[in-house]
Amino acid sequence: MSPPARPPARTAWLVAGLVVVALNLRPALTSVAPVLASIQASLGLTAAHAGLLTTLPVLCLGLFAPLAPRLAARFDAERAVFGVLFVLALGTAVRGQFGTAGLFAGALLAGAAIGVIGVLLPGLVKREFPERASLMMGLYTMALCLGAAAAAGLTVPLRDAFGDWRPALAAWGGFALIAALVWWPQLRGHTRIAPAPGTPVRLMRSPLAWAVTLYMGLQSSLAYIVFGWLPPILVDRGLTALAAGGLMSLSVLVQLVTAFTGPMLATRLGRDQRPTLWLMLTLALIGLLGCLYAPLGSVWLWVILLGLGQGGQFSVAMLLIVLRSGDALTAARLSGMSQGVGYTLAALGPLAVGLLHDWSGTWHGVGALFALVTAAAAAAGSVAGQRRVIT
């Protein structure tokens, strides 16, 4: 069932709300890595502890994703998003308080909030924009990338301005409060769309649903390896923390290009999404290997390739949730499954990098791990990208 027509002004507010909320779903994840060395020196964290810090929010994305449908059923999706934005603000802000305990507790709260909101928004897109899903998912993913780039590039300057990493991390919590203000109009006057009658889709028995879930998790693992560890890798190769954070910001900023164009390319290039999916994975793999092993003077080229690949592979993953679903209810449930199970799987990536580095003392194992996960993501995408629908 399509949603009732709404006035253009209300549509504009909804689009603005989706964009501003999406802008807040990555700063808590990308603001830590640029100042990770300062955090370790200040709190005495080992590389294993640092790996856990980068892994914990991603793990919470998966563990708390199943809570999203329950909140939506009780309060509706719009009110659930509004309330959880305050949890995100609290978690992001508390990372700069109460020492190590506050750092990890804030990471947990922020990860949980992002996991819930990230599940709810694709279902809203499927419900409210059924004929413009690829455009809206491209816009949504572009906003995610912009928020990630801003946090990656501005956290070190904020640390230098404040004289400490703590207020630099806490400052990002204020933007979640701004998002709640922009989202406020969605709490009144909207019409809840009842799900179509019939037996719910048994997603856990669907090979296609599992393929979408595995692709989501594996490509997310690649992304969070980069979010958590690219700046420390570049610093160990000889760059300053400011330069490393700037290059990571450049990589994430470049994602805007394929985050927006990737879904449209994927729906127009052939009968399915596999060619676009394989192209993006290949670009990301070449980019990361260049960051690890190519001459340092050319690293800007490799971070650009890395960003182009990762922006596209994530936007296609989000698009697959919508395209493989026959209706808004299925989209909401597939969003919960793919992000719940997928992000739990994705959390193993940055943790494995921390353990590999602790064990070997070098970053050489990261290249092999990235290539292995890329191959597995391509295999899952070969099934998920086929033009089929879960019915």
Side-chain angles (χ1 to χ4, degrees):
M1 178 178 177
S2 300
R6 70 172 71 81
R10 289 200 58 213
T11 299
W13 267 112
L14 176 57
V15 173
L18 286 169
V19 169
V20 176
V21 171
L23 284 170
N24 282 271
L25 299 187
R26 289 298 177 267
L29 305 176
T30 61
S31 57
V32 171
V35 294
L36 188 57
S38 298
I39 295 173
Q40 287 183 267
S42 176
L43 299 179
L45 302 182
T46 66
H49 289 141
L52 180 59
L53 180 62
T54 59
T55 298
L56 182 61
V58 185
L59 182 62
C60 289
L61 296 184
L63 294 179
F64 287 88
L67 184 61
R70 299 182 184 181
L71 291 175
R74 181 163 184 175
F75 301 107
D76 76 45
E78 288 84 351
R79 287 181 172 81
V81 169
F82 181 75
V84 175
L85 280 170
F86 289 96
V87 178
L88 176 58
L90 175 63
T92 305
V94 83
R95 296 178 305 166
Q97 308 295 326
F98 313 115
T100 303
L103 183 66
F104 281 90
L108 187 153
L109 283 174
I114 295 168
V116 170
I117 296 174
V119 169
L120 293 174
L121 292 188
L124 280 171
V125 169
K126 179 72 173 181
R127 190 190 77 185
E128 301 294 338
F129 304 98
E131 304 302 324
R132 291 177 286 173
S134 62
L135 174 63
M136 290 305 302
M137 291 311 298
L139 189 63
Y140 167 70
T141 310
M142 189 171 68
L144 286 175
C145 296
L146 185 59
L154 296 177
T155 300
V156 171
L158 284 173
R159 180 201 64 185
D160 295 342
F162 287 120
D164 190 63
W165 59 268
R166 293 170 178 84
L169 289 186
W172 295 104
F175 293 96
L177 296 178
I178 295 173
L181 181 64
V182 177
W183 189 255
W184 171 263
Q186 306 310 317
L187 304 190
R188 57 183 187 273
H190 68 274
T191 302
R192 298 180 64 178
I193 308 302
T199 303
V201 178
R202 296 188 180 276
L203 291 180
M204 300 298 286
R205 298 181 183 178
S206 168
L208 181 56
W210 275 108
V212 173
T213 297
L214 289 174
Y215 176 69
M216 170 63 80
L218 291 165
Q219 68 82 30
S220 294
S221 184
L222 299 173
Y224 292 119
I225 287 172
V226 172
F227 286 164
W229 292 106
L230 182 60
I233 289 171
L234 295 177
V235 167
D236 278 3
R237 292 202 64 194
L239 296 180
T240 65
L242 182 61
L247 283 168
M248 180 171 157
S249 180
L250 172 63
S251 181
V252 180
L253 194 61
V254 168
Q255 291 185 21
L256 294 172
V257 177
T258 46
F260 187 68
T261 61
M264 291 182 281
L265 179 66
T267 54
R268 294 174 183 175
L269 187 62
R271 293 181 55 81
D272 57 42
Q273 288 70 54
R274 286 177 293 178
T276 305
L277 184 151
W278 293 330
L279 172 64
M280 299 305 171
L281 287 171
T282 301
L283 287 174
L285 177 59
I286 293 172
L288 184 85
L289 293 178
C291 290
L292 285 169
Y293 304 118
L296 200 56
S298 64
V299 71
W300 61 271
L301 170 64
W302 307 114
V303 299
I304 288 174
L305 289 179
L306 176 63
L308 289 173
Q310 293 204 306
Q313 68 191 30
F314 178 70
S315 64
V316 172
M318 298 301 293
L319 178 66
L320 290 178
I321 295 174
V322 176
L323 294 184
R324 299 292 88 93
S325 304
D327 52 61
L329 176 61
T330 304
R333 290 179 174 176
L334 182 57
S335 179
M337 175 180 172
S338 62
Q339 296 187 68
V341 178
Y343 283 138
T344 304
L345 174 65
L348 299 176
L351 178 61
V353 170
L355 294 175
L356 277 172
H357 183 258
D358 248 10
W359 173 69
S360 66
T362 72
W363 299 107
H364 295 310
V366 178
L369 176 65
F370 209 87
L372 180 64
V373 177
T374 298
S382 297
V383 178
Q386 296 180 41
R387 191 175 182 181
R388 295 183 290 160
V389 175
I390 301 168
T391 58

